[in-house]
Every structure is written in structure tokens, then in C-alpha cells.
Amino acid sequence: MKSSLADEDFGASIASPVAAAGLVNASKRFGGTIALSHASFDLLPGEVLALLGENGAGKSTCVKLLAGVYRPDEGAVTIGGDPVEHWSPLEAQRRGIAVMHQHPGLFGDLTVFENIFVGHMPQRALGRIDYERMREEARALLDVVGLQCSPEDPLKELRTSEQQLVEIARALSVNAKVLIMDEPTAALSQREVERLFAVVADLKARQVAMMFVGHRMEEIYRIADRIAVLRDGHLIGVRQAAELDRDQAVQMMIGRPLKAIYPQWESKPGQEVLSVSGLSREGAFEDVSFNVRAGEIVGLGGLVGSGRTEIARVLFGIDQPTAGRIEMEGKAVAFADPPAAMAAGIAYVSEDRLGQSLVMDFPILDNASLPVIEKATMAGLVMRRQELALVEPHLKRLKLKFRSFDQPVKTLSGGNQQKVVLSKWLATQPRLLILDEPTQGIDVESKSEVHTMIAELAQQGLAIILISSELPELVSMCDRIVVLREGRMAGAFTREEADQEKVIRAATDAGGVIADKQPALASRDDATKADEAKAGWLKALLRRREVGLVGAMAAVVLPVMFLNPRMVSPENLTAIAMDAALLMIVAVAQMLVLLTRNIDLSVASVIGLSAYGAASFMHAHPDSSVLLGVGVACVVGLACGALNGLVVTLGRVPAIVVTLGTLSVFRGLNSLWAGGRQISADQVPQAWLDMTSARIAGIPAVILIALACLVVIGLILRHWPVGRELYAIGSNPDGAALIGIRRTALVLGAFMLAGLLAGFDGALWASRYATIDARVALGFELTVIASVVVGGVAIRGGAGTVLGVALGALTLLVIQNGLTLVRVDPLWLQGVYGLVILLAIGVDTIIGRRTHQGRRAR
């Protein structure tokens, strides 16, 4: 009898394992909107739960509740069957939950291996980052997900699909007990999807509990053990995947039967609209030929990176072909830019709706009317009635779900955002419509509506090119399919000939078609690769800002030296170095703030206030230690930095507004404190003046102090996790929050440390220049910002080096000194600084554009 009971208990434990994570009656509201209402489900070890629902059904809310980004208003998140409190992304990671978010929270300015481990970097003694271990483990993870790249590569140089694989590697790096995948395959090729599913199978065998959020039904039924369906924030039910057919799942999602995702229509192709012959773009695709007729849908198939999007970009005038011929209605055309293509009747819906197709902070109406805004303009003013007339019919046809035309487009679901993009281009009344992944990341009903609209447009005589990674979409929607592989045509099929097997075989198997022409795009011999590697190394070196700054200084010093040999005299070089030392300290302080995507315009006022405070203290207490005077300046600077940081972080006021105000406030306090008085060298003790003028091994102390500050800050930014997290915050603030980086604390800390350094610099300033009044460092903020920007710190945050900042400061002072020695009017100096800033930003823009083009060509 006991044996029988034991067997029953054992069987029960197998049937009902303890849930690794889950939701119990969880509800979440945003204002008056109910995003999720009393939802309950479990994630079981060794099982995949698929979460289905339309856009806006509550799927992302469930993901963010489990990830710790949100806390439930009612109910609870459970781990191991027990409800958790004080839930946050950090706590979720600590409990073994890894999340692959729909829009990857990655950091373009960091390397691949830093992206994998940021937020949980392995550490050595004294909390230093263990780079060797990170690189080694990153290589292993990249092999697991099948990404062929170096861990040292900057993430921004990878394609979108490759970045998604890095997101997968990051999720695996935490050795999670629970893995949540939110639309992980949206940007992946078929080959990469297969690799992901192999990883999922391995994780199931290791008893990892998983949740998969997706819209592609064929993927859902391949990977899921159970399916949970959400509709309008309510959990409709949880069923075994084997017991729920696709029609039932769709009916549960939308509340009614869906007749067909792909509409049935009779194709009646008319006259030829577009003809492409031997079209090529070096490094992207070669010898592509096809035509499109009115009322016809021609598909471009192939793996991600096969050249599909690159062809679309050439047809729309974004990129230029290197060979071949394009004809519109029998006439040869060449488009220098997108406006020329639009004038010829071509419209292009990009695959990247967030980055290229929409202005996320703009209202729906502004986005939808952007390409045709001139038609709604009278005397330079936009007429709202005409603007609505241009776009409203298309938005209604697509059944856009929205509150008002003034609603920001970022508040819409992915499917509704895509409808805005489509309506925007339909308003241009094109003859040829290029659709690049038009249904990527949208729900089943929206997908059906988009497919119906595409069919209707074709029936009305519009010529359409459809680029899609979804084989059922290509086979069901297209009259003809052109398949690409590695930049070359690998096959062409009519609607009657095409099936999924033929298309995927052509996309992945070169065959004789490509083999004959392979040498042009295939791998080169080892000697050529070695030469290219050397050339790449040299180009990378020449692109480094530090090398450019050294060259800029040489370009100033050499001609001035011939005009005035004093330029290289020991006295002049020492004076430049001492002035540069003071500028470098406060420039690196500004760098800390800029890294977090903020700015501190009050830095010069903080120097002035701190300098006067320190000088006043030493004047009033001449017998006190010099360190006390420095301490006074540091306390003043720290207080100013804390005030700036608190208003920016807790008050959520833009830093440029806050520090523009405190610039005047701190300068005003300094003026009131000074009351028109001046503290001169004979009013402070000699030890105070010796602090910066004294020499150690023949080097002025102020230079050594500055170097020590730069080394310490450089080590922190490079070798301690907090430093890399500062870069991550600036590179992607929202992504940093998703992985649990303490953004508010770190931004506040950056402002406070910047204030502390500015205060310390004020003390050195008071010692170096001796005579102090309320005008100290007046207007110095432009010089500081110029030094930082010229030194390579990105205004947008997330990029820059201490060495670059030091060289930027030195470059500006060399320019200033050179202009002075050749007797150029000092009034020109501010203009020169402004030109240098514009030049530096221009160089960054050009390099960034070339990097982006190189990434597309891969």
C-alpha cells in the first residue's frame, strides 16, 4: 500500500512539476488603460510556453512583469512557486531570469563581448573586470548561436540579424533557469532561426523553462509545448499545442474565425512598369535582372544578407549601382537620390520601421503626411484639412486603431505603426511600391489586413515588389519569385511553380547557376586576405581620433615654428602644458556627463565659484593646511554637481535646461560672495601658490596632478564595471534600464563626480593664476565642450576616451598659442573653436556613414 502511494506521489510530481516562474492573477494598469487583467500561467522546466495575441493584447506587459521592468498592480510574479517582492530587473537576473526583448537592449558603442556581459561582468581582485574570461566565454557563446564574428568587434558594425544573435548569446550568458524570448526571430534569416531552435532544444534538455512570444504560426507550432492566448489584456486560455489547431488559436486571439491570412485574387498583369538588366552594386549584389508589370506582385526571396534590401535601396536612389540598367515604362532612368525616385513614381517601405520609416515622437498625422506635406502647404503653412484629406482614406482602409491623429506614433502597437508607414507611401500615389518585410513583427489580424491591402493595390494596377523572409508569404502572395543567394540570382519561379521547398533550396544551395560565376564574389586567396587585413588595420589606425589630433597639432606647430621659433621654446611648451593640465581635468569631468547622454553647461561657473571659495578660505585662514583649501573647493564643486544631478534625474528636466540655469545661478552666487573684491597672490600663503608651481623631477606639480586624475578616471572607465555601465547608459538608456543597470544612480554619480573634479580644478586654478575674482573662468565652458567634442566624445553619449579628451584639450591650446604667436586677433579665437567643433562633428558623421554603409555591404 505504501508502495502504491509512493508511486502515485511520484506520478503526480511528474505531471505537475514546480513552476520555475509564472504570474498569478497579475494585473497592470497605465492610467485608465488596463494592459493586463488577472492573468495566470506557469513556465515549467524543460518546456516552451508560447504566448500568442494581437499587438496590444498584453504580451509585452507579461514579458516586462516577468523581467522585473514592471511590478503588478494586483496579483504576483512567482519564482519556484513563491510570490516575490521588491521585483526589479536586477532581482530577476539574480533569480535566474534572462530576457530577449523585442527591440534588443544592446549597446552599439560597446564591443560584442561587452554587450554579452554588461550588467554582470566577471570580476577579478578589487572588482576589476576580467576581460580575458569575458572574451573566452563570449567566443564559446558566439559558437553556440552560430555568429561568425570577433568578440572584439564593435556591435554597431554588425547587421540587425547579427545583433539579435548577440542578444541571444547575452541571454545564455547568465546560465538562466528561465529564458523569455520576445519576438526573437523577427530579424533572423531562416538559417539563423534554425540555429536558435537548436539552442532552444538544448536548453529544454537542460530543464530550462522558456516563454516564446511570436507572430509566425509555423514557428509557434514547431517550438511550443503549450500555448497561452491573450486578447485585450485578458488570458483566454492555456492549451497543449498538440490539442490546439491553428484556426482555433487564431479564433481565440481575435475573437472570431479568420477566413484566410492570404487573400485569394485573380492576377491580371498589364504593361511593364520596371525593368532591371544586369544591375550590380559592388560588394552587395551582381548581375540581377527582372521586370515588374502593372498589377503584378514580384517577390524577392533569399536569406538575410543575400542582397534583397540592397537592390531595393538602389531602385529607390538611396545607393547608386556600379553597373546595369534600370528602365521605367521602357525609358532608361537613373536616380541620384530618393526624391528623384519618388518623382518617377516609386515608393519604398523600409524593413526598419523604427529607425528609417517613422519619427517616433511625431504624431500619426505628421508621420503619415511626411512625403506629401508640400501638397498640404499654402504660403509656407501646413493646412490641417488638406493634410487629413491626403492620408485619412489610406488610414481608414488599413483600419488603423488609434485615439486621435495627434497621438504620438510611438504609442501605437507594432502592427498599427506599420499601417502608418504603408499609408504614408500610398499617399504619394506611386506606380511601383517596394515593400521590404511589410508584415515583420505584426499580429495575425494586422498581417491579414496588410495582405488584403496588397492584393487590392495589385488589382488596381499597382506594380509591387515584395521582399519577405516568410516563405508562406512569398509563395502565397507573389505572381513571380526571384530568389537571391550571396548577391546573385539563384532561381526564378512563377506562382504555379513555386513552393516553399524550391525557394529555400534555391536560397541555400548555390547549384550550377552561381558556381560558374562564383570567383567574382567568392573567397580570395590567403595572400589577398592578408593584404586586406593589413590595409584594414592601417585604415582603422588612421580613423582613430587620437592620430588625427596629433596630426592637427603638428599642422599648427610646424608652420608657426618657422614664423616664430618661440613656439617650441621650453618656457612656451611648459606654459601650454600647465594650462592644458587645468583644462584636461575639467574636460574629463565633462566627458563623464556626456557619456551618459547629458551635458553640463555650468562647469565654468562651478570652477569660478570653487576657485573663489578656496582662495577666500586661504585668505581668511592663512595658517591652515593647503589640503583644507582644496577640500573647500571640492565640497563646493560636489554640491553644485549634486544639485545638477538631482534636478536632472529626479526632476526629469533635460540637462541642457538645468545646467543653462545653474550656469547663471552659480555665477550669480559667486558675484554676491565676491562683492566686487579680488584676492591677489599677496593675500594667500606661499604654500598655496606652490601647490601647482612646485616642480617634481623638473615637472610642474599641476601637470603631474592632472595626469594622475586622467589615469584614475581612465582606469575606472576601462577596468571597472561601473565605467562600462556609464558607456552603456549613453549608448542605449532604455536598454540599460531593461537589464537592470542603475541608470538614475549612475547619472547622478556622473554629475557629482564631474562637480567634484570641477571644484578640484577650481582650487588648482586659484593656485595657478593667484589673482581670483568673480570673473574666473568666464566663458570657459565653450573651451571645455570644444575640447571634449574634438577629443572624440559623442554628444549623443556612449563614446569617447580619456586619451582623446586629453589630446583634444592640448590641440585647442596649441591652436590658441599658435594664433597668439603669429599675432592673430584673440577675438577670432572663439570663432576658430566653433569651426573646430563643426569639423570634428563632420568627421564623425562621415565616418559613421561609411561604417553604416560597410555594415550593409556585408
Side-chain angles (χ1 to χ4, degrees):
M1 185 71 178
K2 289 181 180 178
S3 176
S4 175
L5 287 172
D7 289 343
E8 289 176 10
D9 291 341
F10 180 71
S13 67
I14 293 176
S16 303
V18 176
L23 298 178
V24 177
N25 291 321
S27 299
K28 186 65 183 177
R29 298 180 181 84
F30 297 97
T33 302
I34 300 175
L36 191 69
S37 178
H38 300 96
S40 299
F41 58 80
D42 291 329
L43 304 181
L44 303 178
E47 207 177 73
V48 177
L49 173 73
L51 197 59
L52 289 183
E54 297 184 77
N55 289 113
K59 303 188 303 296
S60 291
T61 302
C62 290
V63 170
K64 290 180 178 179
L65 284 170
L66 289 166
V69 178
Y70 298 155
R71 295 182 184 178
D73 297 322
E74 298 176 28
V77 176
T78 62
I79 302 294
D82 299 322
V84 294
E85 298 179 358
H86 310 297
W87 198 228
S88 69
L90 274 177
E91 181 65 14
Q93 287 185 38
R94 193 180 70 80
R95 296 291 194 105
I97 295 181
V99 185
M100 296 158 51
H101 291 280
Q102 181 176 3
H103 305 299
L106 299 174
F107 311 99
D109 298 295
L110 300 183
T111 62
V112 169
F113 74 83
E114 286 176 320
N115 270 276
I116 292 174
F117 290 100
V118 67
H120 60 280
M121 291 182 167
Q123 299 176 21
R124 303 170 65 183
L126 302 177
R128 292 177 300 141
I129 298 170
D130 190 342
Y131 278 103
E132 185 177 345
R133 179 181 164 192
M134 272 204 300
R135 291 186 183 94
E136 183 179 335
E137 293 185 7
R139 287 188 187 95
L141 289 168
L142 293 177
D143 286 341
V144 168
V145 300
L147 178 56
Q148 301 298 317
C149 75
S150 169
E152 303 278 357
D153 288 345
L155 184 95
K156 61 186 176 185
E157 294 184 1
L158 272 59
R159 298 195 309 266
T160 302
S161 62
E162 293 173 327
Q163 292 183 14
Q164 185 71 65
L165 293 175
V166 174
E167 177 89 347
I168 296 169
R170 186 171 74 184
L172 298 177
S173 70
V174 298
N175 197 22
K177 299 175 183 177
V178 178
L179 176 60
I180 299 172
M181 298 170 280
D182 191 358
E183 296 281 1
T185 62
L188 300 186
S189 68
Q190 188 64 37
R191 182 182 300 164
E192 291 161 340
V193 169
E194 295 299 329
R195 187 70 182 182
L196 171 61
F197 285 179
V199 171
V200 169
D202 180 60
L203 294 175
K204 285 178 68 173
R206 288 156 48 185
Q207 294 300 296
V208 175
M210 287 171 279
M211 185 170 81
F212 185 93
V213 181
H215 291 299
R216 298 174 180 174
M217 299 299 285
E218 61 272 16
E219 292 178 357
I220 294 292
Y221 277 89
R222 274 190 60 188
I223 198 173
D225 298 292
R226 291 181 299 135
I227 296 175
V229 181
L230 290 167
R231 184 171 74 236
D232 297 329
H234 294 81
L235 183 67
I236 303 303
V238 181
R239 303 271 294 276
Q240 293 292 325
E243 300 172 358
L244 184 68
D245 64 37
R246 300 189 185 194
D247 289 340
Q248 289 174 321
V250 170
Q251 185 169 349
M252 290 173 71
M253 277 193 285
I254 66 176
R256 63 183 188 279
L258 187 63
K259 295 179 181 178
I261 297 177
Y262 303 106
Q264 301 297 316
W265 83 100
E266 184 178 350
S267 177
K268 296 179 180 179
Q271 293 184 341
E272 183 178 86
V273 174
L274 173 76
S275 175
V276 171
S277 304
L279 194 65
S280 303
R281 176 171 169 80
E282 187 177 355
F285 59 88
E286 186 170 347
D287 196 20
V288 173
S289 301
F290 63 90
N291 69 332
V292 189
R293 294 172 291 178
E296 185 180 39
I297 303 174
V298 174
L300 292 185
L303 303 179
V304 173
S306 61
R308 305 171 308 171
T309 296
E310 289 75 10
I311 292 172
R313 291 175 63 88
V314 167
L315 293 177
F316 195 57
I318 301 171
D319 298 326
Q320 301 305 310
T322 52
R325 180 181 178 88
I326 302 173
E327 294 182 358
M328 288 286 291
E329 297 181 340
K331 296 180 180 179
V333 293
F335 304 128
D337 50 33
M342 291 170 62
I346 298 177
Y348 173 44
V349 177
S350 166
E351 64 176 335
D352 182 7
R353 67 170 176 264
L354 299 181
Q356 299 178 11
S357 297
L358 295 171
V359 184
M360 301 304 289
D361 292 321
F362 277 24
I364 294 170
L365 182 60
D366 290 358
N367 271 282
S369 64
L370 210 52
V372 292
I373 192 65
E374 72 282 352
K375 296 181 181 179
T377 304
M378 184 179 295
L381 298 176
V382 177
M383 313 302 292
R384 185 178 175 89
R385 182 175 296 176
Q386 285 88 330
E387 193 178 12
L388 281 170
L390 288 170
V391 301
E392 192 171 15
H394 306 295
L395 292 172
K396 285 183 176 179
R397 183 199 300 180
L398 289 168
K399 300 177 182 178
L400 183 73
K401 297 176 183 177
F402 66 109
R403 295 192 304 271
S404 75
F405 286 108
D406 296 319
Q407 181 181 349
V409 77
K410 67 181 179 183
T411 63
L412 298 177
S413 66
N416 284 304
Q417 288 176 358
Q418 189 71 317
K419 292 178 182 179
V420 175
V421 175
L422 289 167
S423 66
K424 174 178 77 171
W425 288 111
L426 290 176
T428 66
Q429 299 181 340
R431 289 180 291 167
L432 173 68
L433 178 62
I434 304 173
L435 301 172
D436 196 349
E437 303 286 8
T439 60
Q440 179 174 284
I442 65 176
D443 60 74
V444 175
E445 185 171 19
S446 296
K447 187 176 292 189
S448 176
E449 291 169 355
V450 169
H451 288 153
T452 300
M453 182 216 65
I454 293 172
E456 289 176 357
L457 291 173
Q459 287 180 308
Q460 293 168 16
L462 187 63
I464 299 173
I465 295 176
L466 175 62
I467 301 171
S468 178
S469 296
E470 294 193 39
L471 295 180
E473 185 169 72
L474 280 176
V475 172
S476 301
M477 293 296 299
C478 298
D479 297 295
R480 290 182 291 121
I481 301 173
V482 176
V483 183
L484 298 166
R485 181 181 182 272
E486 296 181 1
R488 287 185 175 277
M489 292 180 62
F493 307 97
T494 64
R495 181 192 291 269
E496 293 74 22
E497 297 170 339
D499 61 40
Q500 295 186 42
E501 184 179 348
K502 287 181 180 178
V503 174
I504 194 63
R505 185 183 296 132
T508 57
D509 184 7
V513 177
I514 296 179
D516 295 336
K517 302 178 181 180
Q518 192 68 10
L521 292 179
S523 60
R524 299 163 297 277
D525 58 62
D526 293 339
T528 304
K529 287 183 179 179
D531 291 340
E532 289 187 355
K534 291 178 182 177
W537 178 84
L538 181 60
K539 287 180 180 179
L541 179 64
L542 293 175
R543 280 204 306 263
R544 286 189 65 86
R545 177 63 60 85
E546 293 86 348
V547 174
L549 292 173
V550 172
M553 283 189 279
V556 173
V557 170
L558 292 176
V560 173
M561 182 177 65
F562 287 108
L563 295 173
N564 191 336
R566 284 186 55 204
M567 181 74 186
V568 291
S569 66
E571 295 81 7
N572 189 56
L573 293 178
T574 300
I576 292 175
M578 294 179 72
D579 289 344
L582 294 178
L583 178 55
M584 288 175 186
I585 293 172
V586 73
V588 82
Q590 184 73 229
M591 172 188 174
L592 293 172
V593 174
L594 281 175
L595 283 178
T596 66
R597 204 174 283 196
N598 289 288
I599 194 169
D600 185 0
L601 298 176
S602 69
V603 61
S605 298
V606 175
I607 293 173
L609 188 61
S610 303
Y612 194 84
S616 296
F617 178 84
M618 296 310 299
H619 173 55
H621 305 88
D623 296 329
S624 297
S625 168
V626 168
L627 293 178
L628 284 176
V630 173
V632 169
C634 289
V635 168
V636 171
L638 183 63
C640 293
L643 177 62
N644 285 332
L646 287 170
V647 178
V648 169
T649 55
L650 301 184
R652 300 185 182 278
V653 182
I656 193 169
V657 175
V658 174
T659 57
L660 186 61
T662 54
L663 178 153
S664 299
V665 170
F666 298 156
R667 186 65 68 181
L669 289 175
N670 198 2
S671 297
L672 291 173
W673 191 353
R677 296 185 298 274
Q678 187 181 75
I679 300 174
S680 57
D682 58 1
Q683 294 177 296
V684 293
Q686 186 61 39
W688 177 252
L689 303 177
D690 291 341
M691 179 174 64
T692 51
S693 60
R695 291 176 178 261
I696 302 173
I699 303 174
V702 67
I703 297 176
L704 297 176
I705 293 170
L707 289 175
C709 289
L710 296 183
V711 169
V712 170
I713 296 298
L715 288 174
I716 291 173
L717 291 176
R718 178 62 182 165
H719 292 285
W720 268 266
V722 67
R724 307 317 293 167
E725 289 174 359
L726 282 176
Y727 281 92
I729 289 171
S731 185
N732 184 352
D734 293 334
L738 286 176
I739 64 172
I741 292 177
R742 299 160 298 170
R743 185 172 61 179
T744 298
L746 286 177
V747 171
L748 176 59
F751 271 102
M752 292 178 68
L753 183 53
L756 179 65
L757 287 171
F760 179 60
D761 197 68
L764 298 179
W765 190 297
S767 172
R768 162 92 168 108
Y769 297 114
T771 301
I772 302 298
D773 58 23
R775 295 172 298 174
V776 166
L778 188 64
F780 193 56
E781 53 274 342
L782 177 60
T783 306
V784 174
I785 294 171
S787 301
V788 176
V789 173
V790 170
V793 178
I795 291 290
R796 58 168 176 76
T801 65
V802 171
L803 177 59
V805 169
L807 290 174
L810 191 57
T811 300
L812 289 187
L813 291 181
V814 166
I815 292 172
Q816 176 186 2
N817 187 260
L819 292 175
T820 301
L821 290 176
V822 296
R823 299 183 179 180
V824 172
D825 190 334
L827 294 176
W828 285 93
L829 189 60
Q830 298 299 315
V832 171
Y833 282 178
L835 288 174
V836 170
I837 292 174
L838 291 175
L839 180 62
I841 293 174
V843 169
D844 286 341
T845 302
I846 293 171
I847 291 175
R849 187 180 297 124
R850 287 182 176 175
T851 300
H852 182 62
Q853 290 171 348
R855 183 167 70 250
R856 290 202 314 266
R858 291 180 56 186

